[in-house]
Amino acid sequence: MISAVVMSEPHAPLELRSFARPELEPGAILLRTLGSEVCGTDGHLWKGQLAGVPYPIIPGHVSVGRISALGPGEAPRDVDGVPLRVGQTVTFLDVYGTCGRCWYCTVGHATTRCPERKVYGVTLSASDGLLGGWAEYIHLKPGVHVIPLPDELDWRAFLSGGCGMPTALHAVTLGEIAFGDTVVVQGAGPVGLCAAVLAQLRGAGRVIVVGGPEARLAAATRFGADTVIDIGSTTPEERIAAVREATAGRGADVTIEATGVPSAVPEGMRLTRDAGRYVIVGQYTDAGETTFNPHLDLNQKHLDIRGCWGSDVGHVYRAVQVMARYGRIFPWTDLITREYGLAEAQAALEDVAAQRVVKALIVPRQT
Amino acid sequence: MISAVVMSEPHAPLELRSFARPELEPGAILLRTLGSEVCGTDGHLWKGQLAGVPYPIIPGHVSVGRISALGPGEAPRDVDGVPLRVGQTVTFLDVYGTCGRCWYCTVGHATTRCPERKVYGVTLSASDGLLGGWAEYIHLKPGVHVIPLPDELDWRAFLSGGCGMPTALHAVTLGEIAFGDTVVVQGAGPVGLCAAVLAQLRGAGRVIVVGGPEARLAAATRFGADTVIDIGSTTPEERIAAVREATAGRGADVTIEATGVPSAVPEGMRLTRDAGRYVIVGQYTDAGETTFNPHLDLNQKHLDIRGCWGSDVGHVYRAVQVMARYGRIFPWTDLITREYGLAEAQAALEDVAAQRVVKALIVPRQT
Amino acid sequence: MISAVVMSEPHAPLELRSFARPELEPGAILLRTLGSEVCGTDGHLWKGQLAGVPYPIIPGHVSVGRISALGPGEAPRDVDGVPLRVGQTVTFLDVYGTCGRCWYCTVGHATTRCPERKVYGVTLSASDGLLGGWAEYIHLKPGVHVIPLPDELDWRAFLSGGCGMPTALHAVTLGEIAFGDTVVVQGAGPVGLCAAVLAQLRGAGRVIVVGGPEARLAAATRFGADTVIDIGSTTPEERIAAVREATAGRGADVTIEATGVPSAVPEGMRLTRDAGRYVIVGQYTDAGETTFNPHLDLNQKHLDIRGCWGSDVGHVYRAVQVMARYGRIFPWTDLITREYGLAEAQAALEDVAAQRVVKALIVPRQT
Amino acid sequence: MISAVVMSEPHAPLELRSFARPELEPGAILLRTLGSEVCGTDGHLWKGQLAGVPYPIIPGHVSVGRISALGPGEAPRDVDGVPLRVGQTVTFLDVYGTCGRCWYCTVGHATTRCPERKVYGVTLSASDGLLGGWAEYIHLKPGVHVIPLPDELDWRAFLSGGCGMPTALHAVTLGEIAFGDTVVVQGAGPVGLCAAVLAQLRGAGRVIVVGGPEARLAAATRFGADTVIDIGSTTPEERIAAVREATAGRGADVTIEATGVPSAVPEGMRLTRDAGRYVIVGQYTDAGETTFNPHLDLNQKHLDIRGCWGSDVGHVYRAVQVMARYGRIFPWTDLITREYGLAEAQAALEDVAAQRVVKALIVPRQT
């Protein structure tokens, strides 16, 4: 029997349940889980803040495993087109079922808005099987996009970015950072920290992280932020003044929002220079409205604002390549504060919610 | 002596004053004015709603004239590099003095944010001479960018677009309309009408104009709008529903805001489809704040919003080419409701403010 | 029994063969063919100039039909997500089987380079059924992308563009024409003529068509080209001089190549201005090498050259919207020189190859 | 008196001449030269391979100096708008006189194609004064764009990139490298090495340098290239095979050409994957023609090729920011093989031409 953590409904204590080993269809894959991240979204799931979640679920959307078995028939292929083999260490895109046929997939080229997409660990139900990462094994349905980890990328290193890395990679790509730009990142959680790293890998001239608490700001500094600004001890006006002072009075060339707090958005507009670019990636749940001045904050500023939703195969594929290549410069695993067994999942959830840890992993078979 | 309309201070009645014929510096040009537009901005100037205006001013920023005299020395050249000649019918970029040296000019490539720029008829003072279009003659300082009107473009036809045409051309360019896109234009004033025309000249599949009053909506229809929605007789919810119904439930691919009303902005976000684009060009003066929901309206929508400020040489140059080429399809002069002599400038201002006219021209020597 | 034209092998006379009515799988569609275009590619197929063609084939890749029957189960949906119904008039993307899983589909976002794609009438075999348009009925396999024609777009009007319209739409999109640009189109066949039309629907300031013979140049003029240059009576130097003269000495802002002749490519580089853009869409078959000077023609020119291969769902969907919307301005059906019955297909092929017609249609049941 | 190196005509030995200290106009600056690079272009100048050079000239286009004196009146400002002061260490854009008024400056936004631009050390004559960097002092005319070096960027470190750094920055920007891309750089001279570094600062997943001789390839490796391929010991076919093998058979996502050899261009097309991007920056002089196959190499490949000419204020400004920020990772001064006094300029020229050095500097007052 296979053990998995089950979130039966919002606010209920997580449980360990046993599942039968699944029968694999042609094209399916069984992964023995090496690790799965604990993400802010898991906290939102537990608090019931996301719509359309088919509880009970097995949480855990970004995971790494070793291929334990393949379904009958021709071996499924990885994103590069190479047939997969038992024993390989792989990750996979948590988004499953993007249809490739709807208007958003074919005409709009906005696949993260495809209405058919489901997400492992979020919108796939435990009633349908081992479709989440906080489990000894994960059942990859036919068509799941699989990406092997290169030898030079340890699985823990990859998970230390978690879903924050492809999310930040999507946001930073939309930010279109130019060489030498000053980049402000609002928020020092996993998405913000990954954005601060990736801004350096776009040749930013200066990276300023605005956030807290202190442990996260220390991580930002360790990962190369030139300046950190503690939101706990500054006013919005002080933060705006500090960024302007660092930029000959102009403001940031590019700002990346990764906070989840509505009031961060008008502040971010003001942190950004005229004709700059502002990417909103942190407003993942509905936390209410905010106010702004369309003349001053947007029109006269000639400001470009981009909402950024979700990530897709390319973002995860590219995140893997980047993390494998730049581990010499960025000590990824330093982001991991603690690893938890399956039985400790409730503690992991609470530690993440309380911001006691930077990145927490669920590791089913700790060694 | 040369007659010119002078706005001595906000709210004061416009006056006719006499000016001496200016001495031309090398590179300067004296234009005999054929016509000058009356624009919504002139109303803002009269109400004192713009900062930094050096009253007294001669209003009139977009104008056409015949070259009456050239300064001594080598003849100045038009934008194509051809030397100018007395007798040519030309327009010119109202923005004067963009420095070409500051960070915004050289690194940011955002010349409309250059701090040195002044505007004929807006931020150049009557104390310094004939630096506005509501006058018998206009003094073009050395370095003003001059664009001859092609033979096939009548001067009245060009002025019927006024500054709305280059402004809309800038906004529609930022909108990056794809062939077949549904475009919603919020606002049926000169900028909105020009945007509705230009959307067709980007191959839009459907153009929907949301605005009023009825005369302007009739103009929108005459200029090719597929659908008009009267804001006077509909609620925001009804407008959003109408646009969704026309687009298989998705919303507009591209929305252009040209209203000046802050509450139009959150409505425009909701009129636009997920992963669509929304250009804000109408929030030209500070009319206060508005509220929106960053999660629903921006982040989850994967929406791209672009503030659009001012226009530059290229926009006017391109507007001239487009209006000359597509006069066969669009009867530009139909936009002109009435022409006013210099002595009737006050009436022109009031008719525009009251939206009694679509486009009003000041024509110093009516024939 | 169902009649279809079969090309059994290169150079062999076309034959009429009878096929049984196909059994429809779930998700499949049977179309009663209204018409199918004859395209230059059909000539290449007959001459054996394309690799990987599984003769025998039923030619005809862009077609329109009426839905005659749907496979069992849930009705397939059109690109907008609306369930299809018997009796609807539709076209479909000839490209079938794009995998949505390979690197080009998911990471490279270059779906026209997906190795799995097959094309109706080109790389699908008559041995596998009614998989081409020159037939009384066409069998759409499950997953073929279907686009209904709007009421305002007559099926003949849509076919008058043929595959030239989405191909040109792709090329013109890559050309990134700005308002007022001078656009040169090399070639006056269906792709070139469609490009000349679409350039106007991007607001080009001047459209120059370089090609021949006279009948095609006359069509170019009827469809709005400002200037036509006959390649039969001019030298490359004369053509370059003519374009420079029309553009203040600079050359075209954007050039679209649609000729199939290798020597057109270096000429096109020289027809284009410094820092302009040049799209190569006509080099569809291997017609040998050509020479150019990388310093003069490319590097010092700061020239941008874009090869353009194939088209995808979005291009056909957008072509349908554009043709439906702008039929008021462009009399599409004027492009059709002649319609041929199934039994006349050989004559159609020869008329197209000899450039005796602008656009030829196969119409199975002429009325 | 001020010593300067003068190139009186092509192929003539360089001479040391004495110049009077120049009288400074308002806005002018006198720099005491700290150092000036020796660039491949200087070899081209000496061989008479560039058109329009007003011999005699003082070579040296990219230089660093200390501000020795300012012209009368208001102090000129740096690119950030800050007034300059005597004693500051600065560099400047060698391109002088870009007009800001012609079509290329205002409409085309292609300032490197402005016909008015002159270049210090290249197209400004020694007859007009100290207008090149191989001199004890440099006379910056009013309007030259000046950029102070930040404290953390030693002047030698900045010069070790020389004009190769802004040139490569321009090329790499046009390359639009995405995170994780495989980038091939053709050429291991200063432009190629800088491109290899900058590709890493765009987050490339793999950087492959194709070039020679061995000393330069060793530098490429020291500066982070993942793979180097020696052109001396491989055939084009072997190089293409090596790149394909490293990329799952596809080829490079982005290729940057920095060789000056025409035959490198068709090879580069074949090194690049379908739908990839190829930037041509090294074909700086006319070295003749080359051949390619438009169908295979361009159209079917869906390849994007971009010629890249010159650089502008933004490129130098951004190069300064990037070099200041990433000196922790890249040991810039390792690129400098040797420094030469003014009297040794001829030897410097010959060492560069013979590729005996990676980067050579002229240092007027060696300490």
Side-chain angles (χ1 to χ4, degrees):
Chain A
M1 297 298 282
I2 293 169
S3 284
V5 175
V6 172
M7 187 183 282
S8 58
E9 57 179 3
H11 303 294
L14 299 177
E15 311 161 26
L16 267 186
R17 290 198 196 159
S18 290
F19 288 75
R21 189 179 169 92
E23 192 108 351
L24 295 183
E25 349 39 335
I29 298 168
L30 190 67
L31 284 192
R32 184 167 67 71
T33 311
L34 290 166
S36 183
E37 72 157 339
V38 183
C39 156
T41 298
D42 298 311
H44 295 311
L45 287 167
W46 195 68
K47 291 181 191 155
Q49 291 168 330
L50 294 179
V53 178
Y55 299 98
I57 59 169
I58 300 171
H61 39 289
V62 171
S63 314
V64 174
R66 201 150 283 155
I67 296 180
S68 173
L70 298 171
E74 208 185 339
R77 291 165 182 270
D78 67 19
V79 169
D80 278 321
V82 181
L84 292 162
R85 305 178 315 276
V86 168
Q88 275 185 294
T89 300
V90 304
T91 188
F92 61 93
L93 179 70
D94 56 342
V95 175
Y96 165 69
T98 302
C99 75
R101 305 198 34 72
C102 73
W103 189 92
Y104 279 104
C105 280
T106 59
V107 180
H109 297 298
T111 51
T112 68
R113 302 308 300 143
C114 168
E116 298 298 320
R117 69 203 290 269
K118 302 287 183 195
V119 183
Y120 270 73
V122 180
T123 53
L124 290 168
S125 176
S127 312
D128 295 321
L130 290 161
L131 305 176
W134 297 6
E136 289 177 314
Y137 286 86
I138 311 171
H139 180 177
L140 303 188
K141 309 290 276 185
V144 168
H145 301 280
V146 174
I147 302 163
L149 297 193
D151 291 342
E152 59 271 36
L153 182 59
D154 179 72
W155 68 264
R156 278 185 173 81
F158 175 70
L159 283 181
S160 65
C163 70
M165 186 57 83
T167 301
L169 190 145
H170 190 183
V172 170
T173 299
L174 287 180
E176 293 184 20
I177 296 167
F179 282 117
D181 272 356
T182 293
V183 176
V184 165
V185 177
Q186 295 177 290
V191 174
L193 290 171
C194 289
V197 165
L198 292 171
Q200 297 168 66
L201 292 174
R202 296 311 268 178
R206 191 187 290 106
V207 177
I208 300 171
V209 174
V210 177
E214 207 183 304
R216 289 178 162 192
L217 295 180
T221 299
R222 197 157 62 248
F223 278 80
D226 299 277
T227 309
V228 297
I229 300 178
D230 189 336
I231 49 163
S233 60
T234 52
T235 65
E237 291 68 32
E238 287 169 341
R239 296 191 285 269
I240 293 167
V243 170
R244 298 237 164 146
E245 198 186 322
T247 53
R250 294 187 298 264
D253 297 294
V254 177
T255 301
I256 311 282
E257 183 279 335
T259 68
V261 179
S263 65
V265 174
E267 179 176 333
M269 296 176 179
R270 291 157 204 163
L271 289 166
T272 311
R273 70 165 169 87
D274 287 7
R277 204 166 296 109
Y278 184 29
V279 181
I280 311 287
V281 66
Q283 307 285 322
Y284 185 65
T285 54
D286 185 351
E289 299 206 316
T290 188
T291 65
F292 79 112
N293 182 305
H295 169 65
L296 297 175
D297 294 328
L298 185 46
N299 198 349
Q300 189 186 53
K301 266 192 104 79
H302 200 94
L303 187 65
D304 191 349
I305 304 183
R306 301 183 178 182
C308 176
W309 185 257
S311 48
D312 214 328
V313 191
H315 302 114
V316 179
Y317 179 90
R318 294 179 182 286
V320 167
Q321 315 308 316
V322 165
M323 296 187 79
R325 174 64 169 73
Y326 296 97
R328 318 168 197 174
I329 301 175
F330 299 103
W332 305 120
T333 48
D334 284 11
L335 287 167
I336 303 174
T337 308
R338 197 182 144 193
E339 302 186 2
Y340 301 78
L342 290 178
E344 300 167 301
Q346 184 76 33
L349 207 56
E350 286 164 17
D351 286 351
V352 166
Q355 304 195 346
R356 275 190 293 266
V357 294
V358 176
K359 176 55 70 181
L361 301 190
I362 300 292
V363 179
R365 292 165 187 222
Q366 291 171 299
T367 54
Chain B
M1 298 299 283
I2 293 169
S3 285
V5 176
V6 172
M7 186 183 283
S8 57
E9 56 179 8
H11 303 293
L14 299 176
E15 309 161 26
L16 266 186
R17 290 198 198 159
S18 290
F19 288 74
R21 188 179 169 93
E23 193 106 352
L24 296 182
E25 330 73 307
I29 298 168
L30 190 66
L31 284 192
R32 184 168 67 72
T33 311
L34 290 166
S36 184
E37 72 155 339
V38 184
C39 155
T41 298
D42 299 309
H44 295 311
L45 287 167
W46 195 68
K47 291 180 191 155
Q49 292 168 329
L50 294 179
V53 178
Y55 299 98
I57 60 168
I58 301 171
H61 41 289
V62 170
S63 313
V64 174
R66 200 151 283 156
I67 296 180
S68 173
L70 298 170
E74 205 184 340
R77 292 166 181 269
D78 67 17
V79 169
D80 277 322
V82 180
L84 292 162
R85 305 178 315 276
V86 168
Q88 276 185 291
T89 300
V90 304
T91 189
F92 61 93
L93 180 69
D94 56 341
V95 176
Y96 166 68
T98 302
C99 76
R101 304 196 36 68
C102 72
W103 188 92
Y104 279 105
C105 280
T106 60
V107 180
H109 298 297
T111 51
T112 68
R113 302 307 300 142
C114 170
E116 298 298 320
R117 68 205 292 269
K118 302 286 183 195
V119 183
Y120 269 74
V122 180
T123 54
L124 289 169
S125 176
S127 312
D128 295 322
L130 290 161
L131 305 176
W134 297 4
E136 288 177 314
Y137 286 86
I138 310 171
H139 180 176
L140 303 188
K141 311 290 276 183
V144 167
H145 301 280
V146 175
I147 301 161
L149 296 193
D151 291 342
E152 58 272 36
L153 181 59
D154 180 72
W155 67 263
R156 278 184 174 82
F158 174 70
L159 282 180
S160 64
C163 70
M165 186 58 82
T167 302
L169 190 145
H170 190 181
V172 170
T173 299
L174 287 181
E176 294 185 18
I177 295 168
F179 283 117
D181 272 356
T182 293
V183 177
V184 165
V185 178
Q186 295 177 289
V191 174
L193 291 171
C194 289
V197 165
L198 291 171
Q200 296 168 66
L201 291 173
R202 295 311 267 177
R206 189 187 293 107
V207 177
I208 300 171
V209 173
V210 177
E214 204 183 308
R216 290 178 161 192
L217 294 180
T221 299
R222 196 156 63 251
F223 279 78
D226 299 279
T227 309
V228 295
I229 300 178
D230 190 335
I231 49 163
S233 60
T234 51
T235 64
E237 291 68 32
E238 287 169 342
R239 298 191 283 271
I240 293 167
V243 169
R244 298 240 163 144
E245 196 186 326
T247 53
R250 293 186 299 263
D253 296 296
V254 178
T255 300
I256 311 282
E257 184 279 334
T259 69
V261 180
S263 65
V265 174
E267 179 177 332
M269 295 175 180
R270 291 158 204 162
L271 288 166
T272 311
R273 70 165 168 88
D274 286 7
R277 205 167 294 109
Y278 183 29
V279 181
I280 311 287
V281 68
Q283 307 286 322
Y284 186 64
T285 55
D286 185 350
E289 299 206 315
T290 188
T291 64
F292 79 112
N293 182 305
H295 168 64
L296 296 175
D297 293 330
L298 185 46
N299 198 349
Q300 189 186 54
K301 267 193 103 77
H302 200 94
L303 187 65
D304 190 350
I305 304 183
R306 300 181 179 184
C308 177
W309 184 256
S311 48
D312 214 327
V313 192
H315 302 115
V316 180
Y317 180 89
R318 294 180 181 286
V320 168
Q321 315 309 317
V322 165
M323 295 187 79
R325 173 63 170 73
Y326 296 96
R328 319 168 194 174
I329 300 176
F330 298 104
W332 306 120
T333 49
D334 283 10
L335 287 167
I336 303 174
T337 308
R338 197 181 144 193
E339 301 186 2
Y340 303 78
L342 290 178
E344 301 167 302
Q346 184 76 35
L349 208 56
E350 287 165 15
D351 286 351
V352 166
Q355 303 196 348
R356 277 192 290 267
V357 294
V358 175
K359 176 54 71 179
L361 300 191
I362 301 292
V363 179
R365 292 167 187 220
Q366 290 171 297
T367 54
Chain C
M1 296 299 284
I2 292 168
S3 286
V5 176
V6 171
M7 186 183 283
S8 58
E9 57 180 3
H11 303 293
L14 298 177
E15 311 161 25
L16 266 186
R17 290 198 197 158
S18 289
F19 287 75
R21 189 179 170 94
E23 192 107 351
L24 297 182
E25 344 46 329
I29 299 169
L30 190 68
L31 284 192
R32 185 168 66 72
T33 311
L34 290 167
S36 184
E37 73 156 339
V38 184
C39 156
T41 297
D42 299 310
H44 295 311
L45 287 168
W46 195 68
K47 291 180 190 155
Q49 292 167 329
L50 293 180
V53 178
Y55 300 98
I57 60 168
I58 300 171
H61 40 291
V62 171
S63 314
V64 174
R66 201 150 285 155
I67 295 179
S68 174
L70 298 171
E74 207 185 338
R77 291 165 182 271
D78 67 18
V79 169
D80 277 320
V82 181
L84 291 161
R85 305 179 314 276
V86 168
Q88 276 185 292
T89 300
V90 303
T91 188
F92 61 93
L93 179 70
D94 55 341
V95 175
Y96 166 70
T98 302
C99 76
R101 305 197 34 72
C102 73
W103 189 92
Y104 279 105
C105 280
T106 58
V107 180
H109 297 298
T111 50
T112 69
R113 302 309 299 143
C114 169
E116 299 298 319
R117 69 203 291 270
K118 302 286 184 196
V119 183
Y120 269 74
V122 180
T123 53
L124 289 169
S125 176
S127 311
D128 294 322
L130 291 162
L131 305 176
W134 298 4
E136 289 177 314
Y137 286 86
I138 311 171
H139 180 177
L140 304 188
K141 310 288 277 185
V144 167
H145 301 281
V146 175
I147 301 162
L149 297 192
D151 291 342
E152 58 272 36
L153 182 60
D154 179 72
W155 68 264
R156 278 184 173 82
F158 175 71
L159 282 180
S160 66
C163 71
M165 186 56 83
T167 302
L169 190 146
H170 189 181
V172 170
T173 299
L174 287 181
E176 293 184 20
I177 296 168
F179 282 117
D181 272 355
T182 293
V183 177
V184 166
V185 177
Q186 295 177 290
V191 174
L193 290 171
C194 289
V197 165
L198 291 172
Q200 296 168 66
L201 291 174
R202 295 309 269 176
R206 191 188 291 105
V207 177
I208 300 172
V209 173
V210 177
E214 207 184 304
R216 289 177 162 194
L217 294 181
T221 300
R222 197 157 60 252
F223 279 79
D226 299 277
T227 308
V228 297
I229 299 179
D230 190 335
I231 49 164
S233 61
T234 51
T235 64
E237 291 68 30
E238 288 169 342
R239 297 191 284 270
I240 293 167
V243 169
R244 297 240 164 145
E245 198 186 322
T247 52
R250 292 186 299 264
D253 297 295
V254 177
T255 301
I256 310 283
E257 184 278 335
T259 69
V261 180
S263 65
V265 175
E267 180 176 332
M269 295 176 180
R270 291 157 203 163
L271 290 167
T272 311
R273 69 164 168 88
D274 286 7
R277 206 165 294 109
Y278 184 29
V279 181
I280 311 286
V281 67
Q283 307 285 323
Y284 185 65
T285 55
D286 186 350
E289 298 205 318
T290 188
T291 65
F292 79 112
N293 182 305
H295 169 64
L296 296 175
D297 294 329
L298 185 46
N299 197 350
Q300 190 185 55
K301 267 193 104 78
H302 200 95
L303 187 65
D304 192 348
I305 305 182
R306 299 182 180 183
C308 177
W309 184 256
S311 48
D312 213 329
V313 191
H315 302 114
V316 179
Y317 179 90
R318 294 179 181 286
V320 167
Q321 315 307 318
V322 165
M323 296 188 78
R325 175 62 171 74
Y326 295 97
R328 318 168 197 176
I329 301 176
F330 299 104
W332 305 121
T333 49
D334 285 10
L335 287 167
I336 303 174
T337 309
R338 198 181 144 193
E339 301 185 2
Y340 302 77
L342 290 178
E344 301 167 302
Q346 183 77 33
L349 207 56
E350 287 165 15
D351 286 351
V352 166
Q355 303 195 347
R356 276 191 292 266
V357 293
V358 175
K359 177 54 70 181
L361 300 191
I362 301 291
V363 179
R365 290 164 189 223
Q366 289 171 298
T367 53
Chain D
M1 297 300 283
I2 293 170
S3 286
V5 176
V6 172
M7 186 183 283
S8 57
E9 55 179 7
H11 303 294
L14 299 177
E15 308 161 27
L16 265 186
R17 289 197 198 160
S18 289
F19 288 75
R21 189 180 168 92
E23 194 107 351
L24 297 182
E25 340 56 323
I29 298 167
L30 190 67
L31 284 192
R32 185 167 68 70
T33 310
L34 290 166
S36 183
E37 72 154 340
V38 184
C39 155
T41 297
D42 299 309
H44 295 312
L45 287 166
W46 195 68
K47 292 180 190 154
Q49 291 168 330
L50 293 180
V53 178
Y55 299 97
I57 60 169
I58 300 171
H61 41 288
V62 170
S63 314
V64 174
R66 201 150 282 155
I67 296 180
S68 173
L70 298 170
E74 207 185 340
R77 292 167 181 270
D78 67 19
V79 169
D80 278 321
V82 180
L84 292 161
R85 306 177 314 276
V86 169
Q88 276 185 292
T89 300
V90 304
T91 189
F92 60 93
L93 180 69
D94 56 341
V95 175
Y96 165 68
T98 302
C99 75
R101 305 196 36 71
C102 73
W103 188 92
Y104 279 105
C105 280
T106 59
V107 180
H109 297 297
T111 51
T112 68
R113 302 308 299 144
C114 169
E116 299 298 320
R117 69 204 291 269
K118 302 286 184 194
V119 183
Y120 269 74
V122 180
T123 54
L124 290 169
S125 176
S127 313
D128 295 321
L130 291 161
L131 306 176
W134 298 6
E136 289 177 315
Y137 286 85
I138 311 171
H139 180 177
L140 303 188
K141 311 288 278 183
V144 168
H145 302 280
V146 175
I147 301 161
L149 297 192
D151 290 342
E152 59 270 38
L153 182 59
D154 179 71
W155 68 263
R156 278 184 174 82
F158 175 70
L159 282 180
S160 65
C163 71
M165 186 58 82
T167 302
L169 190 145
H170 190 181
V172 170
T173 299
L174 287 181
E176 293 183 21
I177 296 168
F179 282 117
D181 272 356
T182 293
V183 177
V184 165
V185 178
Q186 296 177 289
V191 175
L193 290 172
C194 289
V197 165
L198 291 172
Q200 296 168 67
L201 292 174
R202 296 310 269 178
R206 189 188 291 108
V207 177
I208 300 171
V209 174
V210 177
E214 204 183 307
R216 289 178 162 194
L217 294 181
T221 299
R222 197 157 62 251
F223 279 79
D226 299 278
T227 309
V228 297
I229 300 179
D230 190 335
I231 50 164
S233 60
T234 51
T235 64
E237 290 68 31
E238 287 169 342
R239 296 191 285 271
I240 293 167
V243 169
R244 297 238 163 147
E245 197 186 325
T247 52
R250 293 186 299 263
D253 296 294
V254 177
T255 301
I256 311 282
E257 183 279 334
T259 69
V261 179
S263 64
V265 175
E267 180 176 332
M269 295 176 180
R270 292 158 204 161
L271 288 167
T272 312
R273 70 165 168 87
D274 287 8
R277 206 167 294 108
Y278 183 29
V279 181
I280 310 286
V281 69
Q283 307 285 322
Y284 185 65
T285 55
D286 186 350
E289 298 206 317
T290 189
T291 64
F292 79 112
N293 183 304
H295 168 65
L296 296 175
D297 293 330
L298 186 45
N299 198 349
Q300 190 186 53
K301 267 192 102 77
H302 199 95
L303 187 65
D304 191 348
I305 304 183
R306 301 182 178 183
C308 176
W309 185 255
S311 49
D312 215 327
V313 192
H315 302 114
V316 179
Y317 180 89
R318 293 181 182 286
V320 168
Q321 314 310 317
V322 165
M323 295 187 80
R325 175 63 170 75
Y326 295 97
R328 318 168 196 175
I329 301 176
F330 299 104
W332 306 122
T333 49
D334 284 9
L335 287 167
I336 303 174
T337 309
R338 198 183 142 191
E339 302 186 2
Y340 302 78
L342 290 177
E344 300 167 303
Q346 184 77 34
L349 208 55
E350 287 165 15
D351 286 351
V352 167
Q355 302 195 348
R356 276 191 292 267
V357 295
V358 175
K359 177 54 71 180
L361 300 191
I362 301 291
V363 179
R365 293 166 186 220
Q366 291 172 298
T367 54

